[in-house]
Amino acid sequence: MSIWWSLHLRREAASVPLARRLLVGAMETAGVDPETAYDLAVALSEACANAVEHGGDASTGYRVTARIDGDTCRIEVTDSGPGFAAPDSSPDSSSEGSSEGFSESSYEGSYESRKGPGGPAGLRARRRLPRRAEARTPAPVHDEHGRGLFLIESLTDHVHVRNRPGRQGAVVTFDKILKWREDALLKAS
């Protein structure tokens, strides 16, 4: 059995907890382990916060789609903002104020990250990424921004970030293998 839902939300801060609560409610009803549901809820909150902050004109909104299929949950957040812009290529340039920071604006094209048995297996680039994005370090400790994608990658098993093909906007997709409670309704056999 599988379930999915899709929301079109306004780019307002109040939309972030709404999306998170709907996801947690669906996971709780399906019987997903609370720790797994929590990881996905935090990852979804970060992706939604990025869409609210960077997602373009407030009138365009953003879309969240979640699907539980077998033992996997896939979540996709799509906005209509400028997408992931190519960084300045000059040697002295920095992304979001740090030449070593992990920042949403440091991505060009798309990338994938998968976890292996010992943790993240690295970036799988469709196009060459700037060296600072390959460093995969979070933003400096005192920065208020620049940790969203790093957290998503840390909490999930697979992340794919790309620009919307043929349109303006970013797409962040992430998957996590689910753990189930003993009394789960949707538990895959």
Side-chain angles (χ1 to χ4, degrees), residues 87-100 132:
D88 182 358
S89 60
S90 66
D92 293 343
S93 69
S94 65
S95 176
E96 298 291 310
S98 170
S99 62
E100 296 181 333
R132 66 181 155 269

Side-chain angles (χ1 to χ4, degrees), residues 11 77 123 146:
R11 284 189 50 239
V77 178
L123 298 176

Side-chain angles (χ1 to χ4, degrees), residues 171-186:
V171 181
V172 176
T173 305
F174 50 94
D175 302 332
K176 186 162 181 80
I177 304 297
L178 300 174
K179 294 178 186 171
W180 300 93
R181 294 188 326 253
E182 287 298 319
D183 63 339
L185 294 175
L186 293 182

Side-chain angles (χ1 to χ4, degrees), residues 86-133:
D88 182 358
S89 60
S90 66
D92 293 343
S93 69
S94 65
S95 176
E96 298 291 310
S98 170
S99 62
E100 296 181 333
F102 184 96
S103 150
E104 287 84 353
S105 64
S106 65
Y107 294 100
E108 175 182 341
S110 67
Y111 86 94
E112 291 186 54
S113 173
R114 295 179 190 268
K115 287 187 180 171
L123 298 176
R124 305 222 186 342
R126 296 197 193 290
R127 281 189 243 156
R128 182 74 180 144
L129 297 174
R131 186 172 303 277
R132 66 181 155 269

Side-chain angles (χ1 to χ4, degrees), residues 9-21 45 48-53 58 62:
L9 300 165
R10 291 184 179 167
R11 284 189 50 239
E12 298 173 356
S15 69
V16 177
L18 173 64
R20 181 179 60 241
R21 287 178 186 145
S45 295
C48 290
N50 283 347
V52 168
E53 172 117 8
Y62 67 101

Side-chain angles (χ1 to χ4, degrees), residues 26-185:
M27 298 224 158
E28 185 175 290
T29 301
V32 174
D33 172 72
E35 186 175 318
T36 303
Y38 178 79
D39 287 350
L40 282 165
V42 172
L44 176 62
S45 295
E46 292 297 330
C48 290
N50 283 347
V52 168
E53 172 117 8
H54 307 291
D57 183 346
S59 67
T60 59
Y62 67 101
R63 187 179 69 232
V64 175
T65 304
R67 181 178 76 223
I68 297 174
D69 190 17
D71 281 336
T72 303
C73 179
R74 169 167 285 176
I75 298 174
E76 182 174 278
V77 178
T78 306
D79 67 40
S80 300
F84 296 98
D88 182 358
S89 60
S90 66
D92 293 343
S93 69
S94 65
S95 176
E96 298 291 310
S98 170
S99 62
E100 296 181 333
F102 184 96
S103 150
E104 287 84 353
S105 64
S106 65
Y107 294 100
E108 175 182 341
S110 67
Y111 86 94
E112 291 186 54
S113 173
R114 295 179 190 268
K115 287 187 180 171
L123 298 176
R124 305 222 186 342
R126 296 197 193 290
R127 281 189 243 156
R128 182 74 180 144
L129 297 174
R131 186 172 303 277
R132 66 181 155 269
E134 292 169 355
R136 295 165 38 102
T137 58
V141 174
H142 299 292
D143 281 5
E144 292 184 23
H145 302 286
R147 291 181 184 80
L149 292 175
F150 184 81
L151 284 170
I152 293 168
E153 183 178 290
S154 297
L155 294 167
T156 62
D157 298 317
H158 174 252
V159 179
H160 184 183
V161 175
R162 63 185 167 88
N163 288 326
R164 289 173 63 184
R167 302 176 75 181
Q168 191 173 14
V171 181
V172 176
T173 305
F174 50 94
D175 302 332
K176 186 162 181 80
I177 304 297
L178 300 174
K179 294 178 186 171
W180 300 93
R181 294 188 326 253
E182 287 298 319
D183 63 339
L185 294 175

